[in-house]
Amino acid sequence: MFFVIICIIVWVLYTFVMQRRLNEEFRLFNALLPLVILSLIVSLSLGVNYVASAIPSINDGISIHTSLAHWIIGEDSWSINLFKNYFDYSIWISLILLALYSGLRIWKD
């Protein structure tokens, strides 16, 4: 949760700075693109961790394989279900952000 809050705060500040610098040329879809890219990277990271935890022959137990996933999931009560839930949520968020970006891009151009 802490990771999501930090990402939103940084994105809001980034959007504010872009809006101040670009004035009339500012488009929300340009500010939304880094958030879409970050959500796709997070989805890939969580997907790697889910697949690695779901296949027992890859490792001896459940562990986090990327540091980005460690920031998101944290230290407590790891399970295959937890990894799958985080991965599912990240995929949905990525798809929603991608649809929002595409819709804004089509609407403003």
Side-chain angles (χ1 to χ4, degrees), residues 83-94:
F83 287 164
K84 182 171 180 356
N85 288 339
Y86 272 92
F87 175 64
D88 289 344
Y89 292 142
S90 70
I91 289 293
W92 279 109
I93 290 170
S94 295

Side-chain angles (χ1 to χ4, degrees), residues 3-62:
F3 178 77
V4 173
I5 292 169
I6 294 297
C7 286
I8 290 173
I9 289 171
V10 169
W11 179 73
V12 168
L13 290 173
Y14 172 75
T15 304
F16 179 74
V17 168
M18 277 190 67
Q19 196 272 333
R20 293 283 237 167
R21 288 185 169 248
L22 296 177
N23 292 333
E24 296 296 321
E25 297 172 8
F26 174 76
R27 300 288 182 254
L28 184 59
F29 61 81
N30 289 334
L32 193 62
L33 185 59
L35 200 57
V36 170
I37 292 170
L38 179 65
S39 72
L40 291 173
I41 291 170
V42 166
S43 294
L44 288 172
S45 176
L46 291 171
V48 165
N49 283 290
Y50 170 61
V51 168
S53 67
I55 302 172
S57 62
I58 291 179
N59 51 18
D60 294 338
I62 294 176

Side-chain angles (χ1 to χ4, degrees), residues 49-50 53-54 62-64 73 75-86:
N49 283 290
Y50 170 61
S53 67
I62 294 176
S63 65
I64 290 187
I73 294 174
E75 293 277 340
D76 299 330
S77 61
W78 294 342
S79 68
I80 296 173
N81 259 350
L82 180 73
F83 287 164
K84 182 171 180 356
N85 288 339
Y86 272 92

